[in-house]
Amino acid sequence: MDIVERVLKGDNLALSRVISMVEGESNGKVSEIMKLINPHIGKAYRIGVTGPPGAGKSTIVDKLVVVMRREGLKVGVIAVDPSSPFTGGALLGDRIRMQQHYLDEGVFIRSMATRGSMGGLPQTASSVIKVLDASGKDIILIETVGVGQCELDIMKNTDTVLVVLSPESGDTIQTMKAGLYEIADIFVINKADRPGANNLIVDIQAMLHLRGEPGSWDIPIVATEAVNNVGIEELYHQIQRHRQALDGSGELLKRRQQQRREEFMKTSERKIIKRLLRSVEQDGQLSRYIGKVIDKVEKGEIDPYSAADEVLKSMNL
């Protein structure tokens, strides 16, 4: 495909078009695109930025891009926004994000809608990350929507996870206990000039101490005032340290192997469901039969598990 060749050469216009095709899951094209770019992926380092809404994730990303560009790195940014209830598209959009970078050809920014995903990332995010990787980006920053406790998909798609918190994040410790705490490679306490910041740092240090035996990576806590560009250089230094630690221990290779395994399982699951639904749509007799089974389930005449087994057995699955 000519458009994929243009992406591999770093053409941002072609990159935007291919990402749209991947997001739209264009019939027959996505598989071909992913096959063509697969030999060219694996060079970009992926950084996830997650945490509660209002913690300043977008500002953190914006300031990190500036530091990375000073080093001459090509940067891709995926900013995940809430889905519009009317169009399914991103509500905020990349038009209002990181405006200072739009004239910089070394930075590519893309907004993506969650489209109902409960893991903080849309289903197509992993494919979009790969397309950015193949286009020659050195660093890919993925900022999640900030839904709170269930944003664990970011861990399955990135190498370093930043959990951004702020003193006014609410019951932050409870949020961390529910999931964010376990996925952090680096904690970022943003708006650190505000009351309660020091107490939050102490609370996180105490929780880290309660984890028991330390692993190969001692999770740092970085205080920032992103809007004033305070602490960003230190944060980037810690990201570099984490990358070196992953490389040195072989953990980066293990993480990416696990990510490929997860992607295979998810892709297979989606394809099986699509084929199953297509079979039901095309087979009127099967469709009527499933309708009767659903009716029985609704009436309580059969439990959902037995009903599912019955349907799959009728389809020789």
Side-chain angles (χ1 to χ4, degrees):
M1 295 173 73
D2 178 63
I3 193 169
V4 173
E5 288 297 324
R6 288 164 53 199
V7 167
L8 297 177
K9 292 177 182 177
D11 184 329
N12 279 346
L13 180 59
L15 174 59
S16 184
R17 289 180 59 193
V18 167
I19 288 176
S20 294
M21 293 165 69
V22 170
E23 280 192 282
E25 298 184 287
S26 303
N27 290 335
K29 293 183 180 179
V30 175
S31 292
E32 184 179 357
I33 289 169
M34 301 315 294
K35 287 175 186 176
L36 290 171
I37 71 168
N38 192 64
H40 306 277
I41 63 175
K43 298 176 183 177
Y45 194 74
R46 310 162 191 172
I47 302 167
V49 184
T50 190
K57 297 187 296 295
S58 294
T59 311
I60 292 284
V61 170
D62 178 35
K63 301 300 183 181
L64 281 173
V65 170
V66 174
V67 175
M68 294 167 182
R69 289 298 293 144
R70 280 206 301 262
E71 294 196 352
L73 299 171
K74 294 180 180 178
V75 183
V77 178
I78 298 175
V80 181
D81 291 328
S83 297
S84 164
F86 303 106
T87 66
L91 271 177
L92 303 179
D94 55 18
R95 292 184 302 277
I96 61 174
R97 288 183 183 269
M98 294 165 273
Q99 296 180 15
Q100 64 172 312
H101 303 300
Y102 284 120
L103 297 178
D104 185 348
E105 292 187 358
V107 180
F108 183 90
I109 302 170
R110 181 75 175 208
S111 284
M112 294 184 68
T114 54
R115 300 190 180 187
S117 171
M118 293 302 293
L121 293 179
Q123 288 185 344
T124 54
S126 61
S127 297
V128 174
I129 291 169
K130 286 185 176 182
V131 175
L132 284 170
D133 188 346
S135 73
K137 301 295 180 282
D138 299 301
I139 301 281
I140 302 171
L141 289 153
I142 303 99
E143 177 197 343
T144 72
V145 69
V147 294
Q149 298 179 355
C150 57
E151 294 193 25
L152 304 185
D153 281 353
I154 195 71
M155 180 179 64
K156 301 174 183 177
N157 288 279
T158 58
D159 305 314
T160 295
V161 178
L162 311 183
V163 172
V164 182
L165 305 169
S166 65
E168 63 267 32
S169 292
D171 194 355
T172 304
I173 300 301
Q174 289 303 317
T175 298
M176 287 159 50
K177 285 179 181 177
L180 291 181
Y181 166 65
E182 286 86 356
I183 69 172
D185 295 308
I186 300 171
F187 279 109
V188 183
I189 308 306
N190 194 32
K191 307 178 185 179
D193 56 327
R194 300 193 179 180
N198 289 335
N199 290 337
L200 178 57
I201 291 172
V202 170
D203 286 342
I204 295 172
Q205 287 172 336
M207 291 189 70
L208 291 175
H209 180 71
L210 290 173
R211 294 181 72 168
E213 289 296 321
S216 59
W217 172 248
D218 188 13
I219 300 173
I221 304 170
V222 181
T224 63
E225 298 170 38
V227 71
N228 298 319
N229 210 32
V230 174
I232 302 301
E233 292 279 358
E234 171 62 18
L235 175 57
Y236 184 57
H237 172 65
Q238 294 297 340
I239 292 170
Q240 290 176 309
R241 283 189 61 242
H242 186 240
R243 182 175 186 173
Q244 292 166 358
L246 291 179
D247 277 329
S249 65
E251 183 63 26
L252 182 60
L253 178 61
K254 291 179 182 177
R255 286 192 181 198
R256 294 201 171 178
Q257 288 174 337
Q258 179 64 29
Q259 288 166 6
R260 287 192 287 269
R261 189 180 301 115
E262 291 269 355
E263 185 180 11
F264 164 71
M265 296 303 295
K266 283 190 175 182
T267 302
S268 299
E269 181 181 332
R270 289 203 304 270
K271 285 182 177 290
I272 290 169
I273 290 173
K274 282 184 178 179
R275 289 190 181 184
L276 178 61
L277 292 175
R278 193 180 304 122
S279 297
V280 172
E281 290 172 359
Q282 294 173 351
D283 188 331
Q285 183 177 350
L286 179 61
S287 180
R288 288 189 294 273
Y289 167 69
I290 292 177
K292 291 178 181 178
V293 173
I294 292 174
D295 186 55
K296 287 183 179 179
V297 172
E298 291 175 345
K299 292 177 179 177
E301 296 175 3
I302 186 174
D303 68 274
Y305 296 95
S306 299
D309 288 339
E310 189 176 307
V311 169
L312 292 174
K313 186 176 180 181
S314 71
M315 299 176 69
N316 297 317
L317 294 175

